[in-house]
Amino acid sequence: VRVVESGGGSVQAGGSLSLSCEASGTIFGLDAMAWYRQAPGKERELVAQNTRGGTTYYLDSVKGRFTISRGDAKNTALLQMNNLKPEDTAVYYCNLLGYSRPGDQPDFDSWGQGTQVTVSS
């Protein structure tokens, strides 16, 4: 399963960006979708996650500003980022966990190539 992200870019503090990722290949369904980010010199961190069971997680520093959701197209994930801050600058990665066929356990765990988000003060 291939995951492709889009929507990164540069914006001034207080601005907004929308990220999207789409999975292609043999996909029966998604179990969870997540967005991670990695800033220079820092470890990759989980920013937001949404599971098929309805559980949603947000990193404390983005709560109230970022929203994760499923796109209108099948097998897409979105991240709406509002009121961006310079500390949000990072490469953002999409991670999709899902099924290529009916089963009890997900059988793919795929990552996108990353998209750069730069927020200037």
Side-chain angles (χ1 to χ4, degrees):
V1 173
R2 182 168 178 254
V3 175
V4 177
E5 298 135 343
S6 60
S10 297
V11 66
Q12 288 190 329
S16 298
L17 284 173
S18 295
L19 305 183
S20 65
C21 76
E22 182 173 3
S24 60
T26 303
I27 301 170
F28 178 73
L30 295 179
D31 190 69
M33 55 182 179
W35 289 91
Y36 290 74
R37 68 186 182 190
Q38 187 167 20
K42 295 187 177 181
E43 294 187 353
R44 189 173 297 190
E45 62 182 354
L46 176 62
V47 175
Q49 183 182 53
N50 181 269
T51 68
R52 186 179 59 168
T55 302
T56 302
Y57 163 86
Y58 290 102
L59 183 68
D60 282 346
S61 62
V62 308
K63 284 181 181 177
R65 301 188 296 120
F66 290 13
T67 303
I68 187 171
S69 63
R70 293 181 184 268
D72 291 336
K74 183 182 178 183
N75 304 327
T76 61
L78 307 176
L79 185 68
Q80 177 65 38
M81 305 183 294
N82 298 327
N83 190 22
L84 283 160
K85 303 177 180 181
E87 51 264 43
D88 294 319
T89 295
V91 177
Y92 284 71
Y93 298 88
C94 177
N95 174 243
L96 298 179
L97 184 68
Y99 306 82
S100 61
R101 59 186 182 278
D104 294 331
Q105 298 295 326
D107 58 12
F108 71 81
D109 182 356
S110 299
W111 292 82
Q113 79 286 357
T115 185
Q116 178 69 46
V117 170
T118 302
V119 185
S120 58
S121 57

